[in-house]
Amino acid sequence: MIFFAYAARPNEIVDTIHRGVDRARNGNNPPEIELWEDTNVSGRLVPIEVLDSISNCSSLVADITGLNFNVTYEVGYAIGMGKRVNCIVYKAVNRDEQQVKRVGIFDTLGHKQYANSLDLSVILRELGETNPIPLKVDINFHQPVFVLETPEKTDPMLAILNRVKKERMAYRSFDPAEQSRMSASETIDDVAASVGVIVPLLEDTMKGCDVHNIRGAFVAGLAHGMKKATLMLKSYNAEAEVDVRDIIREYRHPDDIKKFVAEFQPEIFEGLQSFELSAPKIIAELAQIQVGSSKAENEFRDLSRYFVPTDVFQRMMRSEVDLIIGRKGSGKTALFGQVRDSLRAKRSNVILDLKPEGFQLLKLKDRVIRYLAEGSKAHLLTAFWEYLLLLEICRKLIEKDAEVHKRDHRLFEPFQKLLAQYESHFGFREADFSERLDYLATSVGGRFVDAVDNLKQKSTVELGSDQLTNIIYAQDIRKLRSSLEGYLVFKDEVRVLFDNLDKGWNATGISAEDLLIVRTLIDATKKMERYFQRRELSFKGHLFLRNDVYQLVMASTSDHGKEEKADIDWRDEKLLRELLYRRLQDNPVFSDMNMKDIWSNIAVRRVLGQDSLEFLLQHSLMRPRFLINLFNYCKSSAANLGKERIEEDDFLSGLRTFSNDLIIDISLELEDICEGQGEFLYQFVDSNARLSVAELREMAENSLLTVDQILDQLIWQGFLGVRHRDADSSVYIFDAGYNPKILRAHIEKWDESDRCLIVHPSFRPGLVLNSDGLHDT
């Protein structure tokens, strides 16, 4: 029996579906079809009826012309139940293709198109017996919870993450700030590997709700189909969709969320103790091959098995680096985790890993920074960071030696002094870092407002050193420092690793205040390093930054170049090959094989006449995250069709999906740097992959940026390369050691009307570019 799910609107689609189903039923060997329309549900136990029908069907057909919550939930549920899913699209109406690309999911599941009832009847009669999407059978016991994060880190989202951490539930997540679209295959694997899933939904007035809630429907459907513990949450203002109306939890305040997550925790721990996979154990050999997650936060526990220890890693271990810079997806977070874990292996080290989650610094910016004169801003922010880091070091020592000091007479009295000083400044020992940062920013903001009269009538305020000191410090900072120094003599070294600063910034551009926040954090860590060195104590701060953000920070200050920096952008294809090899070799079946033999087992040798592994490396833009994503898309294309190896058409299908991802990712990075620039890439749609500077100038006529500014950004992101004057080849930013001046020098050798600029092959499928005459496709 076929279960047919579709939305109730528009009428044109509904009528065509009914006529098509009637045609299919009236033909030879008619299929048994149950129609389910998302309407006329009054007085019926809709979820029970729907889920029972899906459980009893052989396959599900879903019309996804317009993305609908209930239909998407049913697609996820069917996949989770081990049913084959066939998606269809009515091609005679305008479809919101941009929304489909932003959501993800369905572009990798694939679909068939119909224009009339006859087309549909043929599709229904020819479905036949097909294999369902393979489900992973291994549970991730290290990180058993999967969380779908919202586009913005609102108070409810932060409450979920904070409570999950407090309940000691290690988790993986889908974070839209890190991944622009959701991959169906990766999400199916994530849910299948989980004991429990948390899905917050957004009310329809919230930014990005249309995309997020469709993703939420898919994740929740998968989880329920696989019989996973599932916590769905919504605000009391949001209307619940019919399929999940009886199972979603409603909150009025973030404190309600904390209660729901606490109640959810026993389900996870019971599942860890006695988990039996109730979903069908459908195993396809290719589908079981894993190369880890492209998001390091989701694989910290496993990463050590296949991490590639680069020179930057060794330099950080030797305490030689202040700033670690790299592009998004270059492996900063993976390096962060491996350095942290390696240093923590020595008990006498004090290691802080600080990763703010949200917008805690917005309060400080809005209440204080924008009202201060320039000199006062830098002074206050540097003092703020120094104060925060001192408190965090104290807290880490208190947490680390809470029991140890009772058994060591040397530590007992210094510990008690340190504890008393810490509590006089900050009493929230149970709060996590996000909450502590928020509390401190709020406290400073409150003291600032109290200290300044008639604030609203003044555009800027100049404050003296004493006034700023009183605003920052709740108590005498000298006693806190003295207690800390007295305790650190019993430790080897203090390291502070700081990441995620850009996650708290406005998505429509980086402001001068944002750059000042980074600059003063750098200054504060260097100041603390000098302070502790004078007292023969070892302290080192490591700040992780995106490369483009670092360039802006350096351009905004005249006093730079004193920090030791390490650029982790990848330059060597051999290292990327090693990265993929180690991840493939981590699969038990490949543990004793070399890369050549592994690759011959899972992929065809050539794609469009090129070595297939080289094909992946060439299209990865030299970023580990992109390489992993591209491999997974190609593998999923083959696995979903039950193939034993990744074939040429799977590589090309995976590249098309990856290209759409890449365009969104790079567009968001451009938007982060300059408001309005993110949409610029779409001007290339259906044009030529080769263009001149003059043509680019014409495209930039309506932009707020000059053609030189746009060219610099597109070169920097790897979108545009330059043809060699005397050779039939091109050079991109990663070929030139990430030095844009080299590419600029190549451009200068051409006339402005010469087509010397080349769009990178990875972007061409998504933008539908003409690549005739180019040999790097």
Side-chain angles (χ1 to χ4, degrees), residues 413-436:
E413 185 176 346
F415 183 93
Q416 295 301 321
K417 289 181 179 179
L418 184 67
L419 177 61
Q421 279 300 311
Y422 177 78
E423 291 185 336
S424 72
H425 286 262
F426 197 94
F428 292 90
R429 269 200 283 163
E430 295 303 316
D432 71 6
F433 177 64
S434 296
E435 292 171 319
R436 296 193 300 274

mmCIF file of all heavy atoms in Angstrom, residues 413-436:
data_model
loop_
_atom_site.group_PDB
_atom_site.id
_atom_site.type_symbol
_atom_site.label_atom_id
_atom_site.label_comp_id
_atom_site.label_asym_id
_atom_site.label_seq_id
_atom_site.Cartn_x
_atom_site.Cartn_y
_atom_site.Cartn_z
ATOM 1 N N GLU A 413 44.664 26.132 52.903
ATOM 2 C CA GLU A 413 44.489 27.551 53.258
ATOM 3 C C GLU A 413 44.461 28.455 52.020
ATOM 4 O O GLU A 413 43.563 29.317 51.910
ATOM 5 C CB GLU A 413 45.605 27.988 54.207
ATOM 6 C CG GLU A 413 45.402 29.413 54.710
ATOM 7 C CD GLU A 413 46.458 29.819 55.732
ATOM 8 O OE1 GLU A 413 47.164 28.925 56.244
ATOM 9 O OE2 GLU A 413 46.572 31.022 56.002
ATOM 10 N N PRO A 414 45.387 28.274 51.033
ATOM 11 C CA PRO A 414 45.295 29.097 49.818
ATOM 12 C C PRO A 414 43.969 28.908 49.074
ATOM 13 O O PRO A 414 43.425 29.854 48.506
ATOM 14 C CB PRO A 414 46.479 28.620 48.964
ATOM 15 C CG PRO A 414 47.449 28.063 49.948
ATOM 16 C CD PRO A 414 46.624 27.452 51.030
ATOM 17 N N PHE A 415 43.450 27.684 49.106
ATOM 18 C CA PHE A 415 42.175 27.425 48.441
ATOM 19 C C PHE A 415 41.043 28.198 49.102
ATOM 20 O O PHE A 415 40.195 28.792 48.416
ATOM 21 C CB PHE A 415 41.870 25.922 48.463
ATOM 22 C CG PHE A 415 40.606 25.537 47.745
ATOM 23 C CD1 PHE A 415 40.630 25.163 46.412
ATOM 24 C CD2 PHE A 415 39.370 25.557 48.400
ATOM 25 C CE1 PHE A 415 39.465 24.815 45.738
ATOM 26 C CE2 PHE A 415 38.200 25.225 47.733
ATOM 27 C CZ PHE A 415 38.250 24.846 46.397
ATOM 28 N N GLN A 416 41.017 28.196 50.405
ATOM 29 C CA GLN A 416 39.948 28.894 51.128
ATOM 30 C C GLN A 416 40.008 30.400 50.865
ATOM 31 O O GLN A 416 38.968 31.055 50.703
ATOM 32 C CB GLN A 416 40.048 28.612 52.629
ATOM 33 C CG GLN A 416 39.799 27.154 53.016
ATOM 34 C CD GLN A 416 38.421 26.668 52.593
ATOM 35 O OE1 GLN A 416 37.444 27.403 52.682
ATOM 36 N NE2 GLN A 416 38.357 25.429 52.127
ATOM 37 N N LYS A 417 41.205 30.961 50.799
ATOM 38 C CA LYS A 417 41.345 32.390 50.492
ATOM 39 C C LYS A 417 40.844 32.696 49.077
ATOM 40 O O LYS A 417 40.147 33.688 48.850
ATOM 41 C CB LYS A 417 42.815 32.818 50.628
ATOM 42 C CG LYS A 417 43.325 32.872 52.065
ATOM 43 C CD LYS A 417 44.785 33.330 52.084
ATOM 44 C CE LYS A 417 45.315 33.412 53.516
ATOM 45 N NZ LYS A 417 46.747 33.832 53.547
ATOM 46 N N LEU A 418 41.233 31.822 48.153
ATOM 47 C CA LEU A 418 40.810 32.016 46.770
ATOM 48 C C LEU A 418 39.292 31.916 46.647
ATOM 49 O O LEU A 418 38.651 32.738 45.965
ATOM 50 C CB LEU A 418 41.475 30.965 45.879
ATOM 51 C CG LEU A 418 41.211 31.074 44.371
ATOM 52 C CD1 LEU A 418 41.842 32.335 43.806
ATOM 53 C CD2 LEU A 418 41.752 29.837 43.650
ATOM 54 N N LEU A 419 38.713 30.944 47.313
ATOM 55 C CA LEU A 419 37.263 30.759 47.263
ATOM 56 C C LEU A 419 36.529 31.969 47.829
ATOM 57 O O LEU A 419 35.549 32.451 47.242
ATOM 58 C CB LEU A 419 36.881 29.494 48.050
ATOM 59 C CG LEU A 419 35.390 29.201 48.165
ATOM 60 C CD1 LEU A 419 34.762 28.998 46.791
ATOM 61 C CD2 LEU A 419 35.167 27.954 49.039
ATOM 62 N N ALA A 420 37.014 32.486 48.940
ATOM 63 C CA ALA A 420 36.368 33.649 49.556
ATOM 64 C C ALA A 420 36.436 34.863 48.637
ATOM 65 O O ALA A 420 35.448 35.607 48.495
ATOM 66 C CB ALA A 420 37.030 33.950 50.902
ATOM 67 N N GLN A 421 37.583 35.081 48.021
ATOM 68 C CA GLN A 421 37.719 36.220 47.113
ATOM 69 C C GLN A 421 36.829 36.067 45.883
ATOM 70 O O GLN A 421 36.178 37.021 45.453
ATOM 71 C CB GLN A 421 39.183 36.370 46.680
ATOM 72 C CG GLN A 421 40.050 37.082 47.698
ATOM 73 C CD GLN A 421 39.547 38.484 47.973
ATOM 74 O OE1 GLN A 421 39.267 39.272 47.073
ATOM 75 N NE2 GLN A 421 39.406 38.804 49.251
ATOM 76 N N TYR A 422 36.792 34.858 45.335
ATOM 77 C CA TYR A 422 35.960 34.632 44.146
ATOM 78 C C TYR A 422 34.491 34.901 44.462
ATOM 79 O O TYR A 422 33.792 35.580 43.696
ATOM 80 C CB TYR A 422 36.141 33.198 43.643
ATOM 81 C CG TYR A 422 35.251 32.869 42.465
ATOM 82 C CD1 TYR A 422 35.575 33.302 41.184
ATOM 83 C CD2 TYR A 422 34.084 32.119 42.628
ATOM 84 C CE1 TYR A 422 34.758 33.011 40.091
ATOM 85 C CE2 TYR A 422 33.263 31.828 41.553
ATOM 86 C CZ TYR A 422 33.607 32.277 40.288
ATOM 87 O OH TYR A 422 32.783 31.998 39.220
ATOM 88 N N GLU A 423 34.024 34.396 45.567
ATOM 89 C CA GLU A 423 32.606 34.560 45.917
ATOM 90 C C GLU A 423 32.264 35.997 46.264
ATOM 91 O O GLU A 423 31.108 36.407 46.127
ATOM 92 C CB GLU A 423 32.237 33.614 47.057
ATOM 93 C CG GLU A 423 32.252 32.147 46.617
ATOM 94 C CD GLU A 423 31.763 31.207 47.698
ATOM 95 O OE1 GLU A 423 31.847 31.591 48.891
ATOM 96 O OE2 GLU A 423 31.321 30.088 47.356
ATOM 97 N N SER A 424 33.239 36.788 46.703
ATOM 98 C CA SER A 424 32.962 38.205 46.958
ATOM 99 C C SER A 424 32.764 38.977 45.655
ATOM 100 O O SER A 424 32.105 40.013 45.626
ATOM 101 C CB SER A 424 34.095 38.830 47.774
ATOM 102 O OG SER A 424 35.270 38.983 46.987
ATOM 103 N N HIS A 425 33.337 38.456 44.556
ATOM 104 C CA HIS A 425 33.194 39.094 43.255
ATOM 105 C C HIS A 425 32.074 38.474 42.430
ATOM 106 O O HIS A 425 31.402 39.157 41.664
ATOM 107 C CB HIS A 425 34.509 38.974 42.448
ATOM 108 C CG HIS A 425 35.588 39.877 42.932
ATOM 109 N ND1 HIS A 425 35.873 41.088 42.346
ATOM 110 C CD2 HIS A 425 36.461 39.736 43.971
ATOM 111 C CE1 HIS A 425 36.883 41.662 42.991
ATOM 112 N NE2 HIS A 425 37.259 40.858 43.978
ATOM 113 N N PHE A 426 31.912 37.165 42.568
ATOM 114 C CA PHE A 426 30.978 36.456 41.701
ATOM 115 C C PHE A 426 30.438 35.247 42.448
ATOM 116 O O PHE A 426 31.175 34.318 42.751
ATOM 117 C CB PHE A 426 31.702 36.006 40.421
ATOM 118 C CG PHE A 426 30.779 35.636 39.299
ATOM 119 C CD1 PHE A 426 30.430 36.566 38.334
ATOM 120 C CD2 PHE A 426 30.240 34.362 39.206
ATOM 121 C CE1 PHE A 426 29.582 36.237 37.296
ATOM 122 C CE2 PHE A 426 29.388 34.018 38.178
ATOM 123 C CZ PHE A 426 29.054 34.967 37.219
ATOM 124 N N GLY A 427 29.163 35.240 42.723
ATOM 125 C CA GLY A 427 28.584 34.189 43.555
ATOM 126 C C GLY A 427 27.943 33.044 42.807
ATOM 127 O O GLY A 427 27.475 32.095 43.418
ATOM 128 N N PHE A 428 27.930 33.098 41.453
ATOM 129 C CA PHE A 428 27.212 32.088 40.683
ATOM 130 C C PHE A 428 28.156 30.969 40.256
ATOM 131 O O PHE A 428 28.555 30.885 39.104
ATOM 132 C CB PHE A 428 26.565 32.715 39.442
ATOM 133 C CG PHE A 428 25.446 33.659 39.764
ATOM 134 C CD1 PHE A 428 25.695 35.004 39.973
ATOM 135 C CD2 PHE A 428 24.151 33.196 39.877
ATOM 136 C CE1 PHE A 428 24.671 35.876 40.267
ATOM 137 C CE2 PHE A 428 23.118 34.066 40.168
ATOM 138 C CZ PHE A 428 23.370 35.409 40.371
ATOM 139 N N ARG A 429 28.484 30.083 41.157
ATOM 140 C CA ARG A 429 29.411 29.017 40.799
ATOM 141 C C ARG A 429 28.777 27.956 39.901
ATOM 142 O O ARG A 429 29.450 27.261 39.169
ATOM 143 C CB ARG A 429 29.950 28.344 42.065
ATOM 144 C CG ARG A 429 31.233 28.998 42.562
ATOM 145 C CD ARG A 429 31.981 28.072 43.476
ATOM 146 N NE ARG A 429 31.392 28.017 44.798
ATOM 147 C CZ ARG A 429 31.651 27.058 45.687
ATOM 148 N NH1 ARG A 429 32.463 26.093 45.383
ATOM 149 N NH2 ARG A 429 31.084 27.069 46.877
ATOM 150 N N GLU A 430 27.460 27.812 39.948
ATOM 151 C CA GLU A 430 26.785 26.787 39.167
ATOM 152 C C GLU A 430 26.492 27.228 37.737
ATOM 153 O O GLU A 430 26.122 26.431 36.895
ATOM 154 C CB GLU A 430 25.478 26.379 39.864
ATOM 155 C CG GLU A 430 25.671 25.718 41.215
ATOM 156 C CD GLU A 430 26.558 24.482 41.117
ATOM 157 O OE1 GLU A 430 26.362 23.680 40.187
ATOM 158 O OE2 GLU A 430 27.457 24.323 41.955
ATOM 159 N N ALA A 431 26.587 28.529 37.460
ATOM 160 C CA ALA A 431 26.276 29.026 36.120
ATOM 161 C C ALA A 431 27.354 28.583 35.127
ATOM 162 O O ALA A 431 28.517 28.419 35.489
ATOM 163 C CB ALA A 431 26.186 30.548 36.148
ATOM 164 N N ASP A 432 26.953 28.381 33.854
ATOM 165 C CA ASP A 432 27.959 28.059 32.856
ATOM 166 C C ASP A 432 28.553 29.358 32.300
ATOM 167 O O ASP A 432 28.150 30.456 32.679
ATOM 168 C CB ASP A 432 27.389 27.164 31.747
ATOM 169 C CG ASP A 432 26.415 27.895 30.835
ATOM 170 O OD1 ASP A 432 26.251 29.114 30.959
ATOM 171 O OD2 ASP A 432 25.818 27.218 29.973
ATOM 172 N N PHE A 433 29.516 29.216 31.378
ATOM 173 C CA PHE A 433 30.257 30.395 30.931
ATOM 174 C C PHE A 433 29.350 31.426 30.269
ATOM 175 O O PHE A 433 29.511 32.634 30.478
ATOM 176 C CB PHE A 433 31.379 29.982 29.973
ATOM 177 C CG PHE A 433 32.136 31.149 29.414
ATOM 178 C CD1 PHE A 433 32.873 31.987 30.249
ATOM 179 C CD2 PHE A 433 32.101 31.438 28.066
ATOM 180 C CE1 PHE A 433 33.565 33.078 29.740
ATOM 181 C CE2 PHE A 433 32.794 32.519 27.544
ATOM 182 C CZ PHE A 433 33.520 33.343 28.391
ATOM 183 N N SER A 434 28.402 30.986 29.462
ATOM 184 C CA SER A 434 27.504 31.922 28.801
ATOM 185 C C SER A 434 26.737 32.756 29.823
ATOM 186 O O SER A 434 26.584 33.970 29.677
ATOM 187 C CB SER A 434 26.515 31.165 27.905
ATOM 188 O OG SER A 434 27.188 30.514 26.858
ATOM 189 N N GLU A 435 26.254 32.097 30.861
ATOM 190 C CA GLU A 435 25.492 32.807 31.899
ATOM 191 C C GLU A 435 26.395 33.736 32.698
ATOM 192 O O GLU A 435 25.992 34.838 33.077
ATOM 193 C CB GLU A 435 24.817 31.790 32.823
ATOM 194 C CG GLU A 435 23.717 30.989 32.136
ATOM 195 C CD GLU A 435 23.209 29.846 32.988
ATOM 196 O OE1 GLU A 435 24.039 29.172 33.638
ATOM 197 O OE2 GLU A 435 21.999 29.602 32.997
ATOM 198 N N ARG A 436 27.628 33.297 32.953
ATOM 199 C CA ARG A 436 28.546 34.151 33.724
ATOM 200 C C ARG A 436 28.929 35.395 32.927
ATOM 201 O O ARG A 436 29.006 36.500 33.471
ATOM 202 C CB ARG A 436 29.796 33.349 34.103
ATOM 203 C CG ARG A 436 29.513 32.176 35.029
ATOM 204 C CD ARG A 436 30.786 31.589 35.635
ATOM 205 N NE ARG A 436 31.729 31.090 34.659
ATOM 206 C CZ ARG A 436 31.720 29.863 34.131
ATOM 207 N NH1 ARG A 436 30.775 29.010 34.481
ATOM 208 N NH2 ARG A 436 32.645 29.477 33.277
#
